[in-house]
Amino acid sequence: YQPEQYLFRQGDPGIGYLYYLTSRMINIITISGNGDEKTIYMLEEGSFFGEATFFQGNNHFASALTLKECVILKLDENCVRQLVEGDSDFSFYLMRVLSQKLRKLSSQIEDLSFLSMHGRLSRLLLKFVEDFGIETEEGIVLPLSITDEQLGKLIGARREAITKALGRLRERGLLIKQNRKICVKDIELLREYVETCS
């Protein structure tokens, strides 16, 4: 799949596939009745998605949009049944991945309910660093090209507020952001800052 390509859109009928992301990342997006868009989560390599429609047979509750060129496996019902019946390791892996997704969604609900915008942004950045960060001489670099608007959609905030909050984190010496690339200078300091926001 090419960058900025939809695999399916919110409201589309299911076509009987369970999707598996083998490389890069995609966004799962939902759109409200008045047209407001929110990124529910960003999926990384090794993630299943489209499972609600696959197992329940209803319409897609959200859209799936590629961020970069990526490779995705589409597993039909016969394929999934054969894997589940013939490989207990696959069944366990599927349950583990779906449980991790449920935990992420539960964490997002908790953050939206109890944390300020600064707290939500800081915790999201810490999560990205822990999941995707690459250590360099300058700090831990996120190999993600992500805009302030995309960050805002992930935590339910406007782009302008995200830009100001990132500036505040830069002033505190917690991160550097250049050309959509984020570098966290000290992960322990970021963890401490997240605790103060909780």
Side-chain angles (χ1 to χ4, degrees), residues 1-16:
Y1 288 85
Q2 297 303 310
E4 302 295 320
Q5 182 177 352
Y6 282 95
L7 281 86
F8 50 79
R9 294 178 183 269
Q10 182 175 327
D12 285 351
I15 53 176

Side-chain angles (χ1 to χ4, degrees), residues 48-62:
F48 288 98
F49 60 101
E51 68 279 359
T53 300
F54 177 78
F55 288 113
Q56 297 179 2
N58 49 14
N59 293 345
H60 288 287
F61 74 92

